[in-house]
Amino acid sequence: MKEVILIKYGELTTKKDNRNFFIKTLKKNIFDKLSSFDFDIIDDYYRMFIIPKDDNINLIVDKLKDIFGIHAIVVAQYSSDASCENIKNICLNLMKNKCEKTFKVVTNRSDKSYPIPSMDMNNKVGTHILKNTHFKVDVHNPDIYLYIEIRKEGVYIYNENIDGSGGYPVGTLGRALLMLSGGIDSPVAGYLTIKRGVQLYYLYFESRPHTSIEARNKVIELARKLERYNSNGKLMIVNFTKIQETIYKNLDPSYLITIMRRMMYRIAEKVAIKNKCLAIVNGESVGQVASQTLSSILAVNNVTNYPILRPLCSFDKLDIIKISKEIDTYEISIQPYEDCCTVFVPKHPVINPNLKHIYNQESLYDFTDLIQEAVNNIEIVDLAIHKSDLL
């Protein structure tokens, strides 16, 4: 008998004809995330089994918790001997030191040639436990469920599910470009997008020397936190200084944020196309700030036909903060280093921008060359190197 890890797919079970593709991608992601461990994987249409070759089973489980596409993780007792007597003994050993009072046995025979029907196995194991422990049976609301899975290669027995992250395996839904700032919202939007199976690249706009190296390193840390869930992300840094200064010096100051964001989307679209990203993602929540009213979103969106995903559009700020703490980005996000969206904030930003006025303002200066220069000079940060190397 030995311990193995059993993976339950959860939402992948809804995929029908595409299910094998999702399972294959999940398997690849598991191999990538567990590359430092020695293990084997057995998978089929319903389950995946990870067989560690060393004593790192708890470390492996911790890694698996962050892999999307996994509904539940189970550490199961495995034996190639699926005889009734052996199953009863394993179940008894698993239960006899527990302090709960009630239990229920649930048997699943994926091997339909096994001679004992599931209900009969439930009764045999349940009777054996009743005779040899303090437990009582409760089929409606037991303290412990004892699961027995009988397969052709043997039997798996367990009594506890560890919650996985759910969602879809990263990469099954293509790639998107996250407009990553140093704030609380955009990392959470990125996390929720990754959870839907989307691989992310990251785009950060900086305005050195108006923004600091600390602000850059803060964003690099946030991108690294998201890489805990993502797969092979790439952080691209745009030098936005010339564009931002030109807007500030030449155009209506109350429209500074609106026009600045329109320039960002023009750049983001070019970067997304170049990097084969199928959508642009941001952390906007409707009404949270002046640039996130519906009329402001309409005015900003007006520059592109590219799909824009806003996972947080209906979230309250407290909901966003809660998730940011769960994914360990909150303490980084609240570090007091300004990014380019906060250094040039006007005293009275327009809440309901007028598109005709925006067109008139943007006609006062041709930004074409500045936009292309910003795209041509994007800096790519290697998220794998140590933070001290970036200072």
Side-chain angles (χ1 to χ4, degrees), residues 77-102:
Q77 303 295 319
Y78 166 75
S79 176
S80 58
D81 178 3
S83 67
C84 183
E85 285 304 310
N86 188 48
I87 290 173
K88 289 195 298 183
N89 290 333
I90 294 173
C91 290
L92 179 61
N93 287 332
L94 196 61
M95 296 290 289
K96 63 184 180 182
N97 293 322
K98 296 185 181 298
C99 58
E100 289 85 354
K101 296 180 179 179
T102 61

Side-chain angles (χ1 to χ4, degrees), residues 269-286:
E269 181 184 276
K270 290 178 179 292
V271 175
I273 293 170
K274 183 177 180 181
N275 287 276
K276 298 180 180 178
C277 298
L278 304 178
I280 296 167
V281 184
N282 67 37
E284 291 177 346
S285 175
V286 174

Side-chain angles (χ1 to χ4, degrees), residues 88-123:
K88 289 195 298 183
N89 290 333
I90 294 173
C91 290
L92 179 61
N93 287 332
L94 196 61
M95 296 290 289
K96 63 184 180 182
N97 293 322
K98 296 185 181 298
C99 58
E100 289 85 354
K101 296 180 179 179
T102 61
F103 76 105
K104 177 182 179 179
V105 181
V106 180
T107 301
N108 174 31
R109 293 183 310 149
S110 65
D111 178 10
K112 300 304 180 185
S113 67
Y114 190 78
I116 303 174
S118 296
M119 287 301 297
D120 289 351
M121 181 62 76
N122 292 344
N123 293 333

Side-chain angles (χ1 to χ4, degrees), residues 111 140 203 215 255 309 317:
D111 178 10
H140 300 294
L203 188 66
Y255 274 72
L309 307 184
K317 190 67 176 185

Side-chain angles (χ1 to χ4, degrees), residues 98-160:
K98 296 185 181 298
C99 58
E100 289 85 354
K101 296 180 179 179
T102 61
F103 76 105
K104 177 182 179 179
V105 181
V106 180
T107 301
N108 174 31
R109 293 183 310 149
S110 65
D111 178 10
K112 300 304 180 185
S113 67
Y114 190 78
I116 303 174
S118 296
M119 287 301 297
D120 289 351
M121 181 62 76
N122 292 344
N123 293 333
K124 290 176 183 294
V125 171
T127 300
H128 189 58
I129 292 171
L130 285 171
K131 287 180 177 179
N132 293 282
T133 69
H134 64 279
F135 278 98
K136 295 182 179 180
V137 171
D138 183 346
V139 296
H140 300 294
N141 189 31
D143 296 327
I144 293 179
Y145 283 91
L146 181 61
Y147 296 97
I148 302 168
E149 297 207 8
I150 301 170
R151 296 166 55 90
K152 288 189 179 298
E153 71 272 12
V155 61
Y156 299 84
I157 299 170
Y158 58 95
N159 70 283
E160 184 179 359

